[in-house]
Amino acid sequence: MQKEAAIREPLILGHKTYHDVTEDVCRPIEDKAPRMWYILFGIALIIGLYGVGCIMYLLGTGVGVWGLNKTIGWAWDITNFVWWVGIGHAGTLISAVLLLFRQKWRMAINRSAEAMTIFAVFMAGLFPLIHMGRLWVGYWTLPLPNQFGSLWVNFNSPLLWDVFAISTYLSVSVVFWYIGLIPDFATIRDRAKKRVSKKMYSILSFGWSGRAKHWNRFELVSLVLAGLATPLVFSVHSIVSFDFATSVVPGWHTTIFPPYFVAGAVFSGFAMVQTLLLIMRKAMSLEAYIHTKHIEYMNIVIMVTGSIVGTAYITELFISWYSGVEYEAYAFLNRATGPYWWAYWAMMTCNVISPQLMWFRKLRRSLMFTFFISIIVNIGMWFERYVIIVTSLHRDYIPAAWSMHYPSHIDIGVYIGTIGLFFVFFLLFARYFPVLALNEIKTILKGSGQSYKESPEYHKHH
Amino acid sequence: MTKKYWKGIDELKETPAFLETKGQEFTNPGSIEEFLSDENLGESSTERRDFLKFLGFSVAAATLAACEAPVIKAVPYVFKPENVTPGMPTWYASTYYDGISYASILVKTREGRPIFIKGNKDQGFTKGGVNPQIIASVLGLYDGERLTGPKVNGNDSDWNTVDAKIKASLASAGSIVFLTNSIISPSVLRAIEEYKATYAGKLEHIQYDSISYSAIRKANLQSFGASIIPSYDFSKAKVIISLDADFLSTWLLSNEYAIQYGQRRNPDGEWMSKHFQFESVMTVSGSNADQRAMTRPSDLANVLNYLISKKVGNVGVANNLSSDVKAVADAALASLASVGTQALVVCGSNNEGLQILTNKLNQLIGAYGTTIDINNTVNLYKGDDEKVHQLVSNVIAGKGPDVLLMSGVNPAYTLPNGQEFAAGLKKVKTSVAISAHMDETASQATYVCPPHHGLEDWADFRAKNNEYAIAQPTIRPLHKTSSTLESLLVWLGKTGRGGKDSKVAYDYITATYAQMGLVDFNFAVHNSCTPVLSKETAPLTFKEVQVAGLPKASDLEVVLYQKAAIRSGEYANNPWLQEMPDPITKVTWDNYITMNPKEMEAVGYATTYDQENGLSLATLKVNGNSVTLPVYPMPGQALKTVGVALGYGRGANGEKIGKSAFQTKEYGGYVTDENGNSKPIGANVFSMTKFENGTYNYYNSGSISSADGEYIIAATQIHHTVMARHSIIRETTLGIYKNNDKEAYNPAHTLQKLDEHGKHVNVPVGEFDLWEEHPVEVVGHRWAMTIDLSSCIGCGSCLIACQSENNVPVVGKDEVRRGREMHWLRIDRYFASDEEATIGTRKSDDIDYDNAEHPSLNPKVVHMPMMCHHCNHAPCETVCPVAATTHSNEGLNQMTYNRCIGTRYCANNCPYKVRRFNWFNYPSYKKFTEVNPAQDDLGRMVLNPDVTVRTRGVMEKCTFCVQRIQSAKLKAKIESRKVEDSDFATACSEVCPTDAIIVGDWNNEASVVHKSSKEIRAYQALEEVGIKPNMWYKVKVRNEENKELAALQHTSSPH
Amino acid sequence: MFDDDEVLKDGAKKLVSKGVRINEVFSPFPIHGIDPIIGVKQTRLGIMAFLYGLTGLTVATIGMRYFMVVDWPMNIGGKPNFSYLQNMLAFIPISFEFTVLCAAHGMAITYLLLNKTLPGIPAQNPDPRTTDDKFVMEIRLSENPSMTEADLDVVIKKTGFIEIDKKDIK
C-alpha cells in the first residue's frame, strides 16, 4: 500500500473505519428517502414530461415548430447537443485520466461524475435524433445495406463520425461505470434486509464475491478501460468540433476548434460536477468524503481550462483579423458588435472573466462561491455554442440570405425538458446507487484517511 | 382534347355533398380534436373507454401518418386518347390575353392537363416575351373557386334559364351598355357590331381598363388627330428616357418591351442603350436604369419642359428642377445630342398634358419613324375614361341603363368610387357580369355568366394592326362555363348553346377569319398567329397643341403604382404571384406605403424589419379616404412622395375570389373580421385614384400620420446591401469595360505558389486543388449555366416558371416571414451603399460596416438570380451522413429525396444558401390548406408529373431541371446524335425575356454556355471558397460615368 | 476471518512460509500485494484487450474501404475515393472510435465471463461481511494433503484472525 506525505491534507476527514464508510454510503439507499427527494423528483419529472410532450409535438408536426429558417438550419438543437456532450466530459475524464495519474482525490467524486456523464450524454444524444427531419429513417446513418440496394453511408461526413463517436463514448462510459459498480452492489446486496431489494441487488451485482483473483482482474480492467477512455474523451469532443471545423462557414471553419472544444468541455463538465456534488454532499451528509479539498482541486481545473478557453477566444479574434479573409473578419466583428453582441459578451463574461476569480484561494475554497460560479460557467458555455452556431450562420457569405433566429416555445420546452430528464435520472441514481466508489475509498482509507495519518503507527513508518 | 375521369357519379352530378367534401383528402372525421370539439359530445353516449379508444387510435394514426408519405393513386388510361402518349408532353401554340397582358405562348400539356406556359419565341411580335402573370395563369385554370356555372341573383342556375332571361331583358331594354375590358378580338367586336345593328341606337359599347392609358390616346388625338397607341421599339433606342413608365414590368406591352430592351443591354453588342429614368417609386425599370432621378409626379412636367426647351435650343431657360434631377436631365440631353433620332421618350403618367409634352419631345428628337411606329398601332388599352366616368355617375345616380353587361371588368373594385358603383348596380334593372369569380362586381350583378379560362377557349386577337392571333383550347372545359363569344351570340339569338364541346365560337371565329381575307386557318392555329397586311393609312402629321391640366405639386404626393406580381388585382387569387417577392422590396403577400428611409427616420418610423420586428403602421389620407398600412423603407423613393401598390384588398366584403386571396392564420384557417368575413390581403387604394382632366389618374395629394402599432411583413430578404463583397457582385461602367483589361473590373482570385524555378507566382485559385479531381471536365456532359447581370432585369418570370415546373410549394405569409420560402430560384436584390463606389466595390480598404448596411439615398440596384451552383467540390455533399446528396458524373449536384434524413447540415454548409428544407408536410399540413394549390384535388392537377412532390423533412433545391436534361438526352439518343443546345433549356432560362440565363453542356466546346463562360466578363461568385461551381455570372455593366469607380478600377484591382 | 487487510497479509505470509496452500481470499476491496503471496498469477486480460482493438481496427479499415472504394464509389463533393489511401484521412476518426469500441466491450465481456460474474449468478462469498469490512482466508484440507487438521489449526492460530469457521465439504 502506498504511503503519502504527512503534509498532504487528508482526503477523508473524521475517524472512519471500513465499516463507517460502508455505513455512510449505504445509509441513504437503505433508509426511506427524505421528503426533499420526493419534491425535487416530482419537479424534475414534471419538467421532463413537458419536454417529452414538446418532442412528441415536434415529431408529429415537423421541424418547422422550431425557430429555424432557410439560413439558420441549426440553432438550439445543436447548441444543446454540444452543451450536453461537453458536460458529459467531466465524468470519464475524472475517473479515467485522474486514475491514470493516480490522483486519489478523484475517488470521492468519480462515481457520481460518471453517472452525470452518462445521463448528460443521453440528453446530448437526444438532439441529433430529434433534429432530423425524418427520425423514422434515422437508422440509415448506420452502415447497413438498405432496401435501396448497396447504398452505404458517407464516411466523409463529420456527422457520421459523430454517430460513431457519441455511441462509442456512451457505451464505453456505461461499461466503465458499471464494472466499478459491481463490487459495491455486492456490498449493498450483502447488507440488504428486504427480499426484493436483496434480489434486485444480487442481480445487479452479478454475483460478485470479491475473490482475490477477481480483484486482480478488476484492477487491470479498470486501468485498461481508463487507458482507452482517456483518448476517447478527447476524440469525442474533437469530432464534435469537426462538425464545424470541416465546414466552409466563416466562424466555423477554424483549425483551433478541437483543443478549444475539449477544454471547453472539461470546463463545463467540471462546473456541472461542482453544482451536483455541492448539493449531494449536503443532502446525503458526505462532507467527510467530499470536502473543501476536492472542491478546491476541481476549481483549479476549472480555472485552468477556463483560461485555455479564454485564450482560444482571443486567438480566434486575432486570427480572423490577421487572416485578412473578408468573411472571416466580418463573422467575428459581427459576433462582437452585430445583432447578437449580447450573446457574445455573455459568453465572454461567464467563461473568461468569472473563472479567473479562482486565483484567490479564499474564493476557490468557498463553497457558496463555487456553486455560484459553476452555474455561471454552464450558462456561459451554453452561450458559447449559441454564438458559434447561430451568429456564424445568420450572416455568412451572401448578404441577401442573412437572417435572424428567434426560438419558438418548442425550442425552449425541449431544452428545459432535457434538464428535467437529466435530474430525474440523477435523482434516481442518488437514491438507489452507491454514490461513492466504496471499494476504492476503502483502499485509500489508510493512505489518505485523517484517522490513519494521525495514528502513531503511521508516524512510526516515517 | 381528352376525357375527364370522374371519381364517381357524385362528381359527375356535382352533388353538394361531393362539392363540400371535394377539397379535403380524408372525408371521415378521424382526428381526436374533431371528436372532442364536437359540441354535442355531452349528449353522445361516449364512455371513457371509447375516449381511450379514440385516443389510442389517433395516437397510432398520428404515428403512422408521421412515418409514411400518403400514397396518391394514379389511374391509367383504359383507352389511350389519340395524340396523347402517357409520359410525353404535348405542346400547343396559343395566345394569351387577359385584358392587361398579351403574348404568343406555348402551352405544355401532360395527359391532357396544361401544366406549363412559356413564350413562343418563333411566332408573334412578343417574340417569346412573357411576364409572371402569363406563366402563372396556368394555375388559375385549376382555381377551386372559379365559378362552375351561371348564377342568378347569386344562386346556381343553368344556361338555358339564364339565356332566356337575358334575351328577354335585352329585348325589352330601352338602353343597353356593354362595359368590357379592351376587346381586341375581331370576332367579339364583330358580334358587338351585330348587336349595335340589332339594337340600333339603344346599345353603347364602352371599354374600360382597370389601369387606364387613355391619356396616351387622347394626347395622340391632339398631336396626330388619331386616338392611337403607337408601337414602341426599345431595341432601336440608343437613349431611353422614361418618366414614371415601368415599361419593363407593368407599362403597356411590357413583356414585348423587355425583350427589345434586353437586346440592347449587352455591352458586347454592337451598341448598348443608355437608360434614364425619372420616377418617384423605385420600379423594376428604375432599378435597371443607368441613371435614375427621384422625381415627384408634379416635377415630370418640369423635366419634360426642361428637356424640350434645351432641345429647342433656347438656353438659360428658367427651370425649377432640383439639382440632382437637373444633373440627370443634363446627362440625358448630352447623350441625346450624340444619338440623333435613335432615342425614345416614354411617360407612364395618365395625364394628357404630360403625354402631349412627351409627344412633343419625341417629335423634337425625331423618334417618330425610328423608335415609334404610329402606323402599326396597338389595339389594347382602348379604355375611354370619360365615357366610363359618365356611365358610372349615371349608375350611381340610379340613371343607369336597363341592361348593363360587364365582361372582363371589375369596376366595383377598380373605380375610385367603386363602393358607390356597387350600390348603384343594384338599381340597374338587369346587370350581367361575365366573370370567372363571384368578385366585387359579379356579386352585385343579377346574372353571372362564367367564361371559359383562356386555356379552355377558342379566341382570336388583333393586338396590333399587323397581326392576327388565335388562342386554341388545350383542355376540355373543366366546368359548365361558356365562351364569352358564344354567350354573346346566344343572347343575340344567332345560335344555341353547344355544351362542353361547343363549336359555336370556333365557327364564328373561322368565319371572321375568312371575312378578313386570311387563308389557311389551320396553319394559323398551328403558328398561333399570322400577319395581316394593314392597308395604307394616311400619314399622320404632328401638330403643336397647348398643354393644360398638368399635375400640381403638393406637400405629400401619393403615387399609386402596380407591383410586378399582382398588378391591378386580377391575380390576387393566384398563390404563386402572391408569394412572388416584389422585385424591389422583396416583400410578399402584402402592400404597403413606400417612403424614403431618410424621411422615415425623421418621423421616427422603423426602417428595419425581420421575422419578429414589424414596420410602423401609418394612416394615409387621400381625398376623404384613408388606409392604414405599414410604411416600407424604399430607398430611391422621391422625397415628399409616398407610394402605395394597387391591386390589394381584394374580396374586402368576403367575396369568393379565390382561396389564397385572404390572410391566413399561423396554424391555418383565415383571419376573419368582426362579422366573420375573411380579411383581405393589404388594402384597396383604387379609391385614392382620381378622375381629373378626362382621365383616371394614379397620383394624388394626401397626408400621412403615424398610427399606433407595428405590422410584421413577410420579406424574403431583410438585408439590402452586398456589404461591398466584390466576389459576389462585380460591376463596372461601359467606359471602364471598353478601355481596360479584365484585371481592372473582373480580377481573378489568385494565390501565391512556387513555380518550377522556385519563384513566387500568383495563380488563379482554380488551379489549386487539395486532391485528385473526379473527372467532370471533358468526360461526357457537364451541365452549366451563365447569368448575365447586365441583362437581368429582375422581372421574376424565371422564379414563377421554376415554381410551375418544379412543383415548388407555396408556404404562405407566416412561413415566408420566418424565412422559409421554398423558391428554388430566388432573385437577390442589392442596393448600393455609401461605402461603395458601385455595388460590390468598396471605396477604400477599410469601410464602415454599419454604414455599408444602409442603402444610399437613391441607390443603384443589381438583380442577381441565385440558385444551386452545382459545385464540383460541393460542400453540401461531403457533409451529408447518408450520401443523400452526391455529384453526378455530368456535373450535377443531385438531391436524393427518398434518402434524405433531414439533418440540414448541407443547407448550413451551402455558401449560397440555396437549399430549401421541407419544414412541414406542405401537401397535407393544415397550415397550408388555403395557400398551397397541391392541397386540393383541382389544384393538384397543375403539378408536373416529372417532378417528385417532396415530403416533410427532406431537403430540396434547384436541379437544373434534371427531368428536362434526361428527356433531352433521350431525344438525342433516339435520333442517335449528340445533345445540342437546342435540346435543353431550364424553365428559368426558357422564359427569361432578356436571355440573361444560358444553360447547356459545358463540355461541348461549341455550346453557347461554354463560350459564354469563357467571356472576359464571366466570373464565379465566391470563387475563392474553392467549391468550383458550374455556374458563372457576368459582370454588370452600367452605361454611366463613374469617376470614383474609374479611379479604383483603372489603377489597381479592388478586392 | 480478519478485520484488517494488513493483518491478513502478514498471516498469509506466515502460513505460506509454513507451506500451507491458501485456497482463496475474500475481501471488500483489492488488497495490494496479496496476489504473489497466495500465488495468484497476473491476468492476461490486457493482451486480450489489445487483440480486440486490433480486430476492430481491421474491421473498420476493410469495411470502409469496401463501402467507399470498392462496392459503390460515389463522387461526393469531388473528394477522391479512387483508392483507400486517398480517402483515408476521412476514415481516421471512425477507425479510432471503432477500435476503442471493440477493445473496451470485448474486454469487459471477457472479464465478466472469466469471473463468472453475470446477472443472476448467486454470490459465493462465505460471509456477507466480506463485502463490508471483513477479510476471509479460505484454506482447504484437500488442498494441503501434507497436513492434518490439527497441524493446520496450530499454524492458523498464529495468524491473528478474529473468527474461524470449519466446514466439512462432502
Side-chain angles (χ1 to χ4, degrees), chain C residues 30-87:
Chain C
I31 307 170
H32 295 121
I34 190 78
D35 311 346
I37 302 169
I38 62 168
V40 173
K41 278 184 260 49
Q42 183 53 273
T43 166
R44 293 186 306 282
L45 269 171
I47 301 141
M48 293 303 296
F50 177 73
L51 294 178
Y52 288 122
L54 213 56
T55 336
L57 183 60
T58 337
V59 173
T61 315
I62 293 170
M64 282 192 273
R65 179 171 178 282
Y66 176 70
F67 300 151
M68 297 295 286
V69 181
V70 180
D71 183 32
W72 200 268
M74 283 182 288
N75 176 351
I76 296 169
K79 289 247 166 90
N81 55 356
F82 312 108
S83 76
Y84 177 81
L85 273 182
Q86 278 175 313
N87 207 349

Side-chain angles (χ1 to χ4, degrees), chain A residues 59 64 66 68-70 73-74 77 131 133-134 136 140 146 154 157 243 247-248 326-327 395-397 406, chain B residues 66 610 613 725 727 818-820 853 879-881 898-905 908-909 913 952 1024:
Chain A
L59 296 180
W66 279 342
L68 304 169
N69 60 38
K70 65 176 191 280
W74 289 346
D77 46 3
H131 100 293
R134 304 199 295 167
W136 47 96
W140 287 347
N146 59 24
N154 172 13
S157 166
D243 284 348
S247 80
V248 301
E326 188 177 6
Y327 313 105
R395 289 187 168 187
D396 63 348
Y397 288 102
Y406 296 94
Chain B
D610 64 19
N613 302 301
R725 292 184 171 183
S727 74
R818 295 168 188 275
R820 295 176 185 168
E853 287 187 25
V879 298
C880 175
N898 58 357
R899 174 69 171 174
C900 178
I901 61 171
T903 66
R904 300 184 299 290
Y905 196 0
N908 289 339
N909 210 22
K913 289 287 173 281
R952 168 194 145 193
E1024 72 271 39

Side-chain angles (χ1 to χ4, degrees), chain B residues 23 67 100 113 306 323 326 362 373 449 530 541 549 564 582 639 673 729 746 750 791-793 842 856 871 924 977:
Chain B
C67 296
I100 298 169
R113 295 177 290 117
Y306 180 71
S323 58
K326 186 166 177 298
N362 275 323
D373 177 358
C449 307
T530 176
T541 49
D582 178 83
L639 302 176
D673 58 14
I729 295 283
N746 187 17
T750 58
S791 318
C792 176
I793 58 170
R842 39 176 77 190
S856 318
C871 316
S924 73
R977 57 172 173 82

Side-chain angles (χ1 to χ4, degrees), chain A residues 165-178:
Chain A
I166 300 297
S167 45
T168 307
Y169 184 55
L170 181 59
S171 57
V172 171
S173 317
V174 171
V175 169
F176 192 18
W177 183 58
Y178 199 82

Side-chain angles (χ1 to χ4, degrees), chain B residues 434-503:
Chain B
I434 298 181
S435 161
H437 292 92
M438 267 318 232
D439 60 22
E440 291 81 348
T441 307
S443 56
Q444 305 298 329
T446 333
Y447 306 105
V448 183
C449 307
H452 286 331
H453 183 277
L455 292 167
E456 298 171 325
D457 201 0
W458 280 103
D460 58 353
F461 309 100
R462 197 167 175 187
K464 285 191 180 181
N465 274 352
N466 66 353
E467 188 167 294
Y468 174 92
I470 297 169
Q472 61 173 319
T474 56
I475 185 173
R476 191 165 183 269
L478 292 169
H479 310 298
K480 295 210 194 58
T481 54
S482 160
S483 156
T484 308
L485 180 55
E486 176 175 324
S487 297
L488 288 175
L489 294 171
V490 170
W491 299 333
L492 198 56
K494 291 269 172 199
T495 163
R497 290 279 169 192
K500 278 209 174 218
D501 298 320
S502 168
K503 285 179 71 65

